[in-house]
């Protein structure tokens, strides 16, 4: 019984945190450009990270 | 109609649209052609490389690029050029046309959906515990879990159910019923009953059913709102592409580029050759030819001189004109047309959507059944069961399926149409398209390209065409453009003078060459030409005999097939135009259109459409010019071309991008298929209700059954809608 009295409020609290995070994301405009967001994850302009010491050694 | 291509838009100086944003400058551009991740990184990366640019962010859904930069306003032009060099076209995006009142509605629905989802998940968590513990769980635990469900469900329903409660209240005040009345009733009764049962200490709790109902319905509502938002955005973006700039002569004599909406009556404007007139006015100085095809539909240009009136939308062809504005942008000819458009749209808003018609049938039937259930059980001697079962009837008939039936189908259909290049402004546009009975077409710019084309290139020697082109490449006159197109790229002759109302003269290979109208060259045309719809021009090299060039407004390449396809689908066709009899008759003969009428003013077009509507013919109007806008608004359903005037695009229900007439039969097919799916969905919902209602009446519906039934019916209806994706 005590387990329930602990667990249920914790579960609800976590749920509310999730809900608050969702509200924030709507307000900060993350839902304004769903197509763009979907496409942006496919952008791979990153160059490989080269360690400066390694570069020196190779030369 | 002058083509809305890059050449025209280049004249719109983006510097006029720069705003200041703190210590930097901000500019919004509408970018065309960006479709994928590569486009985003190219554009944003390319712009960020420029020193002056501080930030650049592209919204792929709306095509809007927000740039902040430092430096003088003229940097804006360099930014636009950089984007062009990357392969995309960019033009100013008017900020206030970008703001969207539906956006906040959409966000509100999203938040309500989130709250309902949160509540549903948590209440279901608790409910499943109760159901699983049937017979084993002790009373105290059960009460605790029910109280927790109540504490979550009640506030959540009050917040998430607001869209429905507000709409139902409005309907009741107007003494009518819509879909939201039974929904609100079901939710309130379910919550009320459950709370009552909780207080008296025994019985079932339907909190989960109430919240689940709200969640599914909000999904349907959100989809519907996104559909409208996306179509509205696209339509607004097309309108923003035409952000027009005017060149005003200031008090000190300098010419400044200003947005057209800032022009006041009395302002003096400079309209260069090739510019579109932004407002109504009177010519103060300069004479020349003006293309009025957007305003009246006539393809032959008008000759005007100082003192003549000009209207917004006309394109100046030859010389530079100084025009004094007689009306601000809001009061021009456009405003008169806009008033006619508004009148038409008001009539159209009385169309009752299929969903609401279903509601009008559904709501009374369901309420009667619930009442009968109550009465029946009271007579049988068990009033409490009576109340319980009556409420169960209200819940189980689950407007879920009905409220999802229509939006689900429409969203899928509009997505398909979007991929075919057709923008649909609202869900009921599809419904109206499916029942159209007669197709009415405009001629200039709709069935034809809106600009003349050289008719007899084979009768002329290539050198002759090239000589004419050397003169023609320097002019904006539609006939000159046609010659330049026929000859291709090349050089222009030296010392060209353009005589308004006459033609062009210049020196080619040492000889004096003149290219223009028969009257100016002194040519005796002799017998009249057989083709009444042709425009002609004559080329005289030195002293040789003049050579005749014949031009005509060319039909679109897919026009004939499109008309045949429309007729094959059972619609009668008609052609209404503001142009003269000759061209109109010839076009309707060529395309096989059964009836035609020419030289029509906008009011006459509306009269014809209204006569057809009265006769029950449900006309579909296809048009593009400013003179078509009132007819587009008054018709049962209307389609406009993507390159049409802004007012026509906003008056029409559907917009065809890329001006492909072949999209019209495709749109008809999809609209009809959607209508079939919607009725199938209604049938599925009816079948489901026939099974579920007897179960509820006789008391077999427990909360568990209600939950399963609700989700099952919603999935079924949505699944059926998805069939539209493959047709």
């Amino acid at each position: 019984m005590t387990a329930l009295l602990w667990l249920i409020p914790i579960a609800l609290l976590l749920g509310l945190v999730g809900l608050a995070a969702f509200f924030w994301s709507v307000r900060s405009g993350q839902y304004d450009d769903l197509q763009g967001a979907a496409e942006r994850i496919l952008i791979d302009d990153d160059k490989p990270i080269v360690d400066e010491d390694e570069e020196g050694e190779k030369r | 109609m002058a083509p809305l291509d890059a050449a025209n838009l280049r004249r719109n100086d983006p510097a006029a649209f720069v705003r200041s944003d703190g210590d930097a400058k901000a500019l919004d551009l509408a970018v065309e052609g960006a479709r994928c991740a590569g486009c985003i990184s190219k554009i944003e990366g390319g712009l960020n490389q420029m020193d002056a640019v501080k930030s650049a962010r592209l919204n792929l859904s709306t095509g809007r690029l927000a740039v902040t930069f430092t430096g003088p306003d003229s940097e804006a032009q360099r930014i636009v050029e950089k984007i062009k060099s990357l392969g995309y076209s960019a033009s100013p995006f008017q900020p206030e046309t970008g703001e969207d009142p539906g956006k906040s509605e959409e966000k509100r629905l999203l938040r309500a959906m989130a709250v309902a989802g949160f509540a549903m998940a948590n209440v279901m968590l608790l409910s499943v515990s109760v159901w699983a513990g049937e017979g084993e769980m002790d009373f105290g635990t059960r009460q605790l879990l029910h109280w927790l469900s109540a504490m979550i469900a009640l506030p959540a329903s009050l917040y998430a159910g607001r869209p429905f409660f507000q709409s139902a209240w409005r309907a009741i005040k107007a003494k009518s019923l819509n879909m939201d009345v039974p929904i609100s009733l079901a939710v309130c009764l379910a919550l009320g009953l459950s709370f009552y049962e909780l207080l008296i200490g025994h019985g079932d709790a339907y909190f989960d059913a109430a919240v689940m109902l709200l969640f599914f319905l909000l999904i349907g509502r959100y989809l519907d709102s996104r559909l409208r938002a996306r179509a509205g955005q696209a339509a607004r973006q097309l309108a923003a592409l035409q952000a027009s700039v005017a060149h005003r002569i200031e008090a000190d004599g300098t010419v400044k580029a200003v947005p057209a909406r800032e022009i006041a009556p009395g302002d003096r404007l400079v309209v260069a050759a090739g510019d579109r007139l932004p407002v109504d006015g009177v010519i103060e100085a300069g004479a020349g030819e003006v293309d009025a095809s957007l305003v009246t539909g006539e393809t032959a240009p008008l000759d005007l001189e100082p003192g003549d009136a000009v209207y917004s939308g006309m394109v100046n062809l030859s010389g530079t004109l100084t025009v004094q504005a007689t009306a601000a942008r809001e009061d021009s000819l456009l405003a008169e047309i806009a008033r006619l458009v508004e009148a038409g749209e008001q009539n159209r808003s009385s169309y009752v959507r299929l969903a609401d018609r279903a509601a009008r049938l559904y709501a009374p039937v369901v309420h009667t059944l619930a009442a009968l259930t109550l009465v029946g059980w009271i007579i049988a001697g068990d009033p409490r069961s009576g109340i319980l079962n009556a409420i169960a009837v209200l819940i189980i008939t689950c407007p879920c399926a009905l409220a999802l039936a229509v939006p689900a189908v429409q969203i899928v259909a509009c997505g398909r149409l979007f991929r075919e290049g057709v923008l649909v402004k609202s869900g009921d546009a599809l419904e109206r398209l499916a029942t159209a009975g007669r197709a009415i077409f405009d001629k200039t710019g709709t069935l034809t390209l809106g600009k003349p084309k050289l008719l007899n290139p084979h009768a002329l020697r290539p050198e002759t065409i090239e000589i004419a082109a050397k003169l023609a490449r320097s002019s904006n006159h539609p006939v000159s453009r046609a010659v330049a197109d026929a000859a291709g790229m090349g050089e222009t002759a030296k010392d060209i003078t353009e005589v308004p109302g006459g033609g062009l003269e210049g020196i080619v290979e040492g000889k004096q060459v003149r290219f223009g109208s028969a009257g100016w060259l002194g040519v005796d045309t002799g017998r009249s030409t057989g083709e009444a719809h042709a425009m002609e021009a004559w080329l005289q090299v030195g002293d040789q005999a003049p050579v005749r060039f014949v031009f005509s407004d060319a039909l679109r390449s897919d026009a004939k097939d499109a008309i045949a396809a429309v007729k094959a689908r059972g619609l009668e066709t008609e052609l209404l135009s503001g142009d003269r009899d000759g061209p109109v008759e010839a076009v309707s003969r060529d395309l096989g259109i059964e009836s035609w009428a020419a030289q029509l003013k906008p009011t006459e077009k509306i009269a014809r459409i209204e006569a057809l509507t009265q006769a029950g013919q449900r006309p579909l109007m296809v048009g593009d010019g400013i003179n078509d806008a009132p007819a587009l608004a008054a018709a049962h359903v209307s389609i406009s071309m993507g390159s049409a005037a802004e007012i026509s695009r906003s008056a029409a229900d559907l917009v065809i991008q890329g001006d492909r007439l072949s999209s019209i039969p495709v749109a008809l097919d999809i609209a009809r298929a959607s209508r079939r799916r919607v009725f199938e969905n209604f049938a599925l919902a009816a079948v489901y209700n026939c099974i579920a209602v007897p179960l509820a009446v006789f008391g077999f519906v427990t909360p568990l059954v209600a939950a399963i039934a609700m989700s099952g019916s919603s999935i079924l209806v949505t699944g059926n809608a998805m069939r539209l994706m493959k047709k």
Side-chain angles (χ1 to χ4, degrees), chain B residues 471 474 492-498 504-508 512-513:
Chain B
L471 291 179
S474 65
T492 44
K494 299 186 288 281
D495 304 326
I496 300 180
T497 34
E498 185 159 358
L504 297 157
E505 61 183 342
I507 316 249
V508 175
Q512 206 202 36
V513 180

Side-chain angles (χ1 to χ4, degrees), chain B residues 188-274:
Chain B
C188 293
L189 284 176
L191 288 173
L193 174 72
S194 309
F195 197 60
Y196 170 72
E197 302 270 289
L198 183 58
L199 287 176
I200 64 171
H202 78 106
D204 291 324
Y206 290 87
F207 294 115
D208 48 274
V211 179
M212 196 188 313
L213 185 62
L214 280 177
F215 183 63
F216 281 127
L217 291 172
L218 282 168
I219 292 179
R221 204 55 59 113
Y222 178 65
L223 286 180
D224 196 41
S225 152
R226 273 216 60 115
L227 166 63
R228 288 168 185 276
R230 197 217 293 186
Q233 245 168 24
R236 251 187 314 278
Q237 185 199 336
L238 284 177
L241 277 178
Q242 276 187 319
S244 53
V245 168
H247 299 269
R248 184 167 60 194
I249 303 176
E250 302 291 322
D252 56 1
T254 54
V255 176
K256 182 164 168 256
V258 297
R261 64 183 184 277
E262 287 179 8
I263 309 236
D267 283 351
R268 292 170 61 227
L269 308 168
V270 172
V271 183

Side-chain angles (χ1 to χ4, degrees), chain B residues 460-476:
Chain B
L460 300 164
R461 296 199 330 263
E463 307 88 68
T464 319
I465 300 182
E466 178 56 29
I467 295 176
K470 283 202 167 68
L471 291 179
R473 286 188 190 105
S474 65
S475 160
N476 283 313

Side-chain angles (χ1 to χ4, degrees), chain B residues 536-611:
Chain B
E536 46 174 46
W538 296 77
L539 176 73
Q540 183 171 45
V541 179
D543 289 326
Q544 294 167 14
V547 182
R548 187 158 152 257
F549 285 63
V550 186
F551 302 91
S552 165
D553 188 7
L555 291 173
R556 290 192 193 273
S557 48
D558 51 358
K560 197 151 182 187
D561 292 333
I563 301 277
V566 165
K567 278 162 73 169
R569 278 157 181 76
L571 282 89
E572 288 165 23
T573 51
E574 191 171 322
L575 179 59
L576 295 180
S577 172
D579 205 347
R580 293 155 294 131
D581 282 355
V584 176
E585 208 235 319
V587 165
S588 83
R589 214 177 348 115
D590 285 339
L591 294 176
I593 298 181
E594 288 125 13
S595 44
W596 58 270
Q599 288 185 306
L600 294 175
K601 297 208 209 7
T603 38
E604 289 168 331
K605 284 196 186 186
I606 301 179
R608 177 75 187 132
I609 300 263
E610 273 170 8

Side-chain angles (χ1 to χ4, degrees), chain B residues 425-500:
Chain B
K425 296 272 201 61
S426 67
D428 53 291
L430 265 185
E431 292 172 20
R432 280 180 276 124
L433 183 58
T435 54
R438 199 177 171 92
I440 319 272
F441 291 88
D442 168 55
K443 179 180 82 68
T444 315
T446 306
L447 292 173
T448 68
L449 293 170
K451 49 183 183 170
K453 201 165 134 178
L454 184 59
L455 266 191
N456 59 344
H458 308 294
L460 300 164
R461 296 199 330 263
E463 307 88 68
T464 319
I465 300 182
E466 178 56 29
I467 295 176
K470 283 202 167 68
L471 291 179
R473 286 188 190 105
S474 65
S475 160
N476 283 313
H477 194 287
V479 163
S480 310
R481 282 240 186 85
V483 173
D485 282 342
M489 303 284 280
E491 328 162 306
T492 44
K494 299 186 288 281
D495 304 326
I496 300 180
T497 34
E498 185 159 358
V499 177

Side-chain angles (χ1 to χ4, degrees), chain B residues 357-422:
Chain B
R357 259 188 270 176
R360 284 199 191 155
L361 188 59
Y362 166 87
V365 168
V366 163
H367 293 158
T368 321
L369 276 173
L372 284 176
T373 313
L374 182 63
V375 165
W377 277 96
I378 289 179
I379 294 176
D382 188 358
R384 199 173 146 270
S385 292
I387 299 177
L388 270 176
N389 293 331
I391 294 180
V393 166
L394 279 176
I395 300 177
I396 200 88
T397 47
C398 185
C400 278
L402 274 176
L404 266 181
V406 176
V409 168
Q410 285 175 351
I411 251 252
V412 174
C414 291
R416 260 194 81 187
L417 282 172
F418 198 70
R419 280 193 296 273
E420 306 273 347
V422 178

